Amino acid sequence: MSTSAGREPNLELRDFLRSRRARVSPDEAGLGPAGGGRRVPGLRREEVARLAGISVDYYVRLERGRNPNASAQVLEAVARALRLDAAERAHLSDLVRPRPGSGRRRPVAPQRVRPGLLRLLDSLADTPAMIMGHRLDVLAANTLAKALYTDFDTLPHRERNLARFIFLDPAARDLLTDWDTAARGTVAALRLYAGRHPHDPRLTELVGELSVHDEDFRQWWADHDVLEYTHGTKHYRHPLVGELALDYESLTLPDDPDQALYLYTAEPGSPSAHALRLLGSWSAPDPAARTTGRT
């Protein structure tokens, strides 16, 4: 069904496209150096339309959030023109996708971690591991992950969230040696989730809380950057074992694409591997005390 004149514009789509257009210079787009007298940063709308091979009117309606049911081919052309990466392309597709019953705020179904997966998590005694779900909620974490970050199981359910930890727990700024990079990536990951679940009331609550309490979050949220956590390296300064550089891998669970297993490893023989072993020996629990029923 086409968008009627009276329908509310898609503001998220509007702001995302504007932010991506402002980021690309004419020179980067192959249009030559920008001349004088340009009133906007980055590309003009007509330049994006020309690069994408669509009419200016069509692109203007798209950027204004007046969704003209853009085809996959049009979205791909716009993505190329704006030099979007894979996460940004997925986000653009999510924002354009028709949403039945849009505007209603419905609770997202609670997520559960299978008992077998919990046992697997706990069996990884030498590897910090956690399972994250909607809006970066920490659904489960093994003993070493709790020792590395914090014991999420001791927190109220609504506070078991990685974004809340990074922005609201003062210990996070000391733990993460490159806090700005980690925090900006967290905001971008939440933005990507917001494109998939725009009517999640708990996401709205989380974004509101973080925006009120942290100016950095508020500014970075307005940037509309998106990021898919797949793999990378994080650097820590742990109060007990000192410096660690850990590589992480994110494995999406096939029966729930919004649940992912995160594993953190150190290069064998490195100082980080030694520090991780020390942290493991310090945090080793009494086997009889292990939790078996987390959700």
Side-chain angles (χ1 to χ4, degrees), residues 105-116:
R105 297 282 170 181
R106 297 190 183 93
V108 175
Q111 293 174 295
R112 296 287 184 266
V113 181
R114 297 190 307 275

Side-chain angles (χ1 to χ4, degrees), residues 191-203:
R191 264 290 179 197
L192 190 67
Y193 172 84
R196 296 169 180 163
H197 302 279
H199 307 301
D200 179 356
R202 287 184 57 190
L203 173 67

Side-chain angles (χ1 to χ4, degrees), residues 2-249:
S2 62
T3 303
S4 66
R7 185 174 175 180
E8 288 295 319
N10 185 332
L11 301 183
E12 289 296 324
L13 175 62
R14 179 198 68 184
D15 293 342
F16 177 68
L17 286 175
R18 285 180 178 177
S19 70
R20 300 307 90 176
R21 178 165 60 85
R23 191 187 58 176
V24 181
S25 71
D27 197 30
E28 289 173 326
L31 300 176
R38 295 181 71 91
R39 295 182 297 173
V40 296
L43 298 175
R44 298 186 177 103
R45 291 190 183 96
E46 58 268 25
E47 290 170 333
V48 176
R50 184 164 79 250
L51 289 166
I54 58 179
S55 73
V56 175
D57 178 66
Y58 190 96
Y59 179 75
V60 167
R61 283 187 289 133
L62 181 66
E63 189 180 287
R64 286 177 177 171
R66 301 291 181 182
N67 182 1
N69 287 333
S71 67
Q73 291 79 7
V74 166
L75 294 182
E76 175 60 24
V78 170
R80 284 198 305 269
L82 295 176
R83 304 170 68 87
L84 302 187
D85 63 23
E88 291 168 329
R89 288 168 186 247
H91 189 59
L92 175 61
S93 179
D94 287 336
L95 293 178
V96 171
R97 188 176 64 238
R99 304 189 183 283
S102 63
R104 300 181 194 172
R105 297 282 170 181
R106 297 190 183 93
V108 175
Q111 293 174 295
R112 296 287 184 266
V113 181
R114 297 190 307 275
L117 192 55
L118 286 174
R119 290 193 294 272
L120 172 63
L121 201 67
D122 282 337
S123 73
L124 299 171
D126 300 324
T127 303
M130 63 175 70
I131 298 171
M132 282 194 283
H134 295 308
R135 69 199 78 82
L136 300 183
D137 285 349
V138 178
L139 303 178
N142 69 1
T143 299
L144 199 48
K146 294 175 192 176
L148 179 64
Y149 281 93
T150 191
D151 190 347
F152 291 100
D153 285 352
T154 65
L155 302 176
H157 275 278
R158 68 178 296 276
E159 296 179 16
R160 298 177 190 179
N161 179 275
L162 191 63
R164 274 196 176 95
F165 170 74
I166 288 176
F167 283 97
L168 301 183
D169 191 327
R173 294 179 186 257
D174 295 326
L175 175 66
L176 297 161
T177 58
D178 191 357
W179 183 87
D180 280 11
T181 298
R184 289 190 74 125
T186 299
V187 176
L190 278 180
R191 264 290 179 197
L192 190 67
Y193 172 84
R196 296 169 180 163
H197 302 279
H199 307 301
D200 179 356
R202 287 184 57 190
L203 173 67
T204 302
E205 176 190 354
L206 175 63
V207 169
E209 180 182 2
L210 297 181
S211 296
V212 167
H213 288 96
D214 193 279
E215 182 178 355
D216 288 326
F217 180 90
R218 185 165 60 251
Q219 292 178 351
W220 294 334
W221 186 255
D223 289 340
H224 289 266
D225 291 336
V226 293
L227 173 68
E228 181 86 61
Y229 274 123
T230 55
H231 64 279
T233 303
K234 290 186 178 294
H235 298 270
Y236 305 87
R237 185 181 297 110
H238 196 276
L240 293 176
V241 298
E243 304 283 344
L244 299 100
L246 300 181
D247 298 325
Y248 71 86
E249 297 284 342

